Amino acid sequence: MTQVNDIVDFDPTWYSTATEDERKTFREWMLGVLDMHEKVTVTFRKADGEMRTMNCTTKEGVRPVVENKKLSDTLCTVWDTDLNAWRSFKFENNTAINFEL
């Protein structure tokens, strides 16, 4: 695999100011990245305000099988590959996403 590092000046308030079409596009892109890669590192602000960095995925074969997967417009549910447990965070609280190509 090739690791690609890119530093982008990311505005953490972008999601809250984006149009609904932009939010939908971002959610679909992020879920696609999570479905394609075994290790995605996301950084987000937890409900208590603390920042958390998590290695996660939703890729089949890595995560447990889910019968009736539910999608949300607000929550991103992922398999934490370090804790081997399901976790979720709000799309709007995401501050960074990193993965290898």
Side-chain angles (χ1 to χ4, degrees), residues 10-78:
F10 182 74
D11 177 2
T13 63
W14 174 84
Y15 195 88
S16 63
T17 60
T19 66
E20 186 50 44
D21 284 343
E22 291 169 331
R23 290 179 190 181
K24 182 180 179 188
T25 299
F26 174 76
R27 289 190 306 263
E28 289 172 351
W29 173 80
M30 188 167 183
L31 292 172
V33 167
L34 287 160
D35 281 346
M36 290 183 348
H37 299 279
E38 290 185 22
K39 181 183 174 189
V40 178
T41 304
V42 295
T43 304
F44 59 94
R45 185 169 309 282
K46 293 172 34 175
D48 65 5
E50 181 182 335
M51 295 300 290
R52 173 151 190 246
T53 299
M54 174 174 51
N55 295 314
C56 57
T57 188
T58 57
K59 186 173 182 171
E60 274 189 46
V62 178
R63 62 159 169 83
V65 175
V66 177
E67 297 274 333
N68 296 316
K69 186 176 177 181
K70 296 178 185 176
L71 295 178
S72 170
D73 288 345
T74 56
L75 284 179
C76 183
T77 302
V78 296

